[in-house]
Amino acid sequence: MKRWVALLAVVAMGVLAGCGGQSQKPAASSQPASGSQQQPAAQGGGEKVIKIGLIAPLTGDVKTFGESTKNGFLLALEQAGFKAGDYKIEYTIADDRNDATEGVNIATKMITQDKVKAIVGSVTSKVTIPVSEIANQNKVVLVTGTATNPKVTVGEDGKRKPFAFRACFIDPFQGTVGARFALDNLKVKTAAIIYDKGNDYTVGLAQFFKEAFEKGGGKVVAEETYTEKDTDFSAILTKVAQAKPEMLYLPDYYQKVSLIGKQAKEKGLNVPMMGGDGWDSAELDYQALAGGYFTNHYSSDDPREEVQKFVKDYQGKYGSKPDALAALAYDATNILLEGIRRANSDDTEKIREAIQGLKDFGTVSGKVTFDQNGNPIKPAVILQVQPDKTQKYIATVNP
Amino acid sequence: MFLEQLLNGLQLGLVYALIALGYTMVYGIIKLINFAHGDVFMVGAYLGVLGYTVWKLPFPVAVVVAMAGAAVLGVTIERLAYRPLRVRNAPRIAALITAIGVSLFLEYFSSLRFVFGPNYRVVDRPFKDVRWQLGPLGISNIQVIVLLTVIALLLLLQFVVYRTKIGKAMRAVSFDMDAARLMGIDVDRVISFTFAIGSALAAAAGILYVMAYPQIYPFMGIMPGLKAFTAAVLGGIGNIPGAVLGALIMGMAEVFTVGYVTSDYRDAVAFSILILVLLVRPAGLLGKAGPEKV
């Protein structure tokens, strides 16, 4: 009997260890970030301190997004000397693994335990939508660099979330630009759309692309969905190939797009492929998607002075060219710092008003003025994927 | 289009079949659902990919190394996690829970940075992509490789199980473990051998899977593992031809749902078939009916 009990205990421990791994992993990966990179608290001295947080997917299926975001965030803080107005900036960084539940957990922790006044992040719309909900309820200012879905700053009920802002354009604009480019420049009349039905970002882009494409006289001949866990697209692509579209619109992140692009070519679908800013990653399969186009926020080849200075500073610090994720995180952080500077207060209501009131604030990705929904009015660029792992600048489209 | 979808279904189904065989063989012998099997599939895929990318082995050698590595892993799991329980006559549920523990361990251990790392990676194929167009039917070289490899492995397995001494021993142990032991069969060795074969097949499936769908990450074994397990149950768990049949039905159901209905119902239809079949034949399509305690 005793032995049996001991055995069960061992089994239970084994299982607990297994589950423990699951729940401790995010904590473990965020620990070094917040532990080693947090500044020591100001010592008495009367210096005023404001705490801010960064939420980004540092591991998982879109980890290059998170890494670029973190780099842009840190560069902006460093250049500001970790100060804004009379306030010294302290920061903490956490990993959401591109998981909405995890994002909500760490946002709650940041707000209730770390007492942050503002959050930069997260990166993807599916995580940022629930995170912005929480930030708004707790009156914490949120500026995301890259979450493009309209629902980030506007709730399901159509009401503005007053504390949420973003540094990027939104998906209705991005989808429309993609559709117009397809009709006017690629001169195609028919398109197929393949998207993840469980992801706000891809669903939104697919819908806005379709609306604009059909309004412009095009026809969507096939519309197929998949789920996040799918890896086999052969059946979908065989069916799509049968409809003979002149282009494929693939509005997902780089990992899924790489898989779909590769399998599409195997099914003989040698038509132009197009997508959104989710393609922008060094880990995109450049061979499979060579010749494809995507809409993006900025191009590092843009000759504007702000862009070139940023590219130079970034390369000096990190040794690689900044992608749009890094640029937008840098912009989002600077927007937040400017808000704190202008408000010169740690009252989140005042910071929020200062950000909303920005007029033509110069950022890397263009001049920022917010509309009533906290969205900046900015142009988009169209880039082409090259087989040598670079992106060729094609055009700029103004709103 | 029909022929091409048939080929897609065959490809998917045969890869499931290789995984399903591991579930069904282990169950057939020690009545254990080895939930860690999907993760052995993942480790096998990683070993194969590392083999020809990082260690620069020729591709066929990398496959053999991965299959051998997975076989060693399977035997080790059996030795460390399942045998101690079996020797002490632990309740079957304890072994099942252990299997889940081993599965989680493999997934999260593989996610550590000094092992395989938590990230998705694009897999570069070791050969060029070729596509042939035979009238209306388009075939890629990947499909041909998958089909031929799986069929060859299935024939090899058939030979081992029905034409060799160890195969005979496996069948004897599966039929009645105690009687087999009384006849002088080294039951533990037979069980280890079963784990080794099942794991090697899973590794082969893993490599074929990442060749066909070129992406790799530590949690990639969960879905194919689950579907292969379902296929094994559908065909009658414990029955080798049943596992292959079940896997083909699963693959075809998925592909034809996408091709002719809508991709939204992909998994719903596949699993509905499972439920319907089990309602009519609780032991699965080719399973032996009889008192079972799972």
Side-chain angles (χ1 to χ4, degrees), chain A residues 40-63:
Chain A
Q43 298 295 322
E47 195 174 14
K48 290 189 281 189
V49 172
I50 187 166
K51 267 193 131 173
I52 65 173
L54 172 73
I55 299 178
L58 298 170
T59 57
D61 60 344
V62 293
K63 63 121 188 186

Side-chain angles (χ1 to χ4, degrees), chain B residues 248-264:
Chain B
L248 285 176
I249 293 176
M250 286 289 287
M252 292 292 174
E254 275 190 42
V255 163
F256 280 102
T257 308
V258 174
Y260 293 97
V261 192
T262 151
S263 39
D264 292 354

Side-chain angles (χ1 to χ4, degrees), chain B residues 267-286:
Chain B
D267 293 339
V269 169
F271 286 98
S272 306
I273 291 182
L274 171 77
I275 294 171
L276 286 178
V277 168
L278 291 186
L279 279 178
V280 182
R281 285 190 63 94
L285 288 172
L286 303 182

